[in-house]
Amino acid sequence: MSGQDGIGEPPGAEVIEAIARATIARLPAAFAAHLHDVVLILEEYADGETLAALGIEHPLDLTGLYHGRPLGEKSSMDSGGLPDRIHLYRRAILDEWIDTGVRLDDLVAHVTIHEIGHHFGLSDDDMHALEDAVDVSAP
């Protein structure tokens, strides 16, 4: 499901979401067990408030974002807040896909795992190791 099977309409949100969910399904059980309450949200672009808060000028410069507190910072006293969320921004992902030539499934997996890594408070090296553990090309 690379999304690069020919010229035509750009992949819709349902394609990006399916790749992201397949990526999550392939995570090692130790990670997957802690993602049930994390909400996956697909949007066309990040909103202006989000971009301003991050100091990002152009919406195509943000492919994904984690909103929440990393697991290691949570407390049993936490209550009443919004659930942790992973936002994937379709148009920015498609722009990067076109610019880089990376397979769409690999790119979406990379962005998804990067945001999941923030949920766990992982370093960039740990995120890359987790990405290597997930075989996005598997059926």
Side-chain angles (χ1 to χ4, degrees):
M1 176 180 1
S2 74
Q4 288 175 299
D5 299 325
I7 298 175
E9 290 295 315
E14 68 283 351
V15 172
I16 306 289
E17 182 175 357
I19 295 169
R21 292 198 183 281
T23 299
I24 292 167
R26 290 185 179 90
L27 287 170
F31 289 93
H34 298 283
L35 292 172
H36 297 294
D37 294 332
V38 177
V39 178
L40 179 65
I41 300 169
L42 271 287
E43 298 175 288
E44 287 296 294
Y45 298 101
D47 61 49
E49 183 179 333
T50 298
L51 295 170
L54 296 170
I56 297 173
E57 292 186 22
H58 199 281
L60 293 180
D61 292 337
L62 184 62
T63 55
L65 184 65
Y66 171 71
H67 282 271
R69 289 187 38 205
L71 283 179
E73 296 177 15
K74 291 186 185 270
S75 162
S76 62
M77 303 302 287
D78 293 341
S79 68
L82 291 171
D84 293 349
R85 301 167 317 279
I86 293 173
H87 294 257
L88 299 179
Y89 302 112
R90 178 181 163 271
R91 295 291 303 270
I93 288 170
L94 294 178
D95 192 62
E96 186 172 328
W97 172 53
I98 291 165
D99 285 349
T100 64
V102 171
R103 287 173 44 106
L104 184 60
D105 50 358
D106 290 340
L107 178 58
V108 173
H110 171 77
V111 173
T112 303
I113 290 170
H114 184 88
E115 302 315 325
I116 287 169
H118 289 302
H119 176 67
F120 289 99
L122 299 179
S123 69
D124 283 343
D125 287 343
D126 290 338
M127 288 181 203
H128 290 298
L130 181 56
E131 190 172 351
D132 291 343
V134 176
D135 182 5
V136 297
S137 62

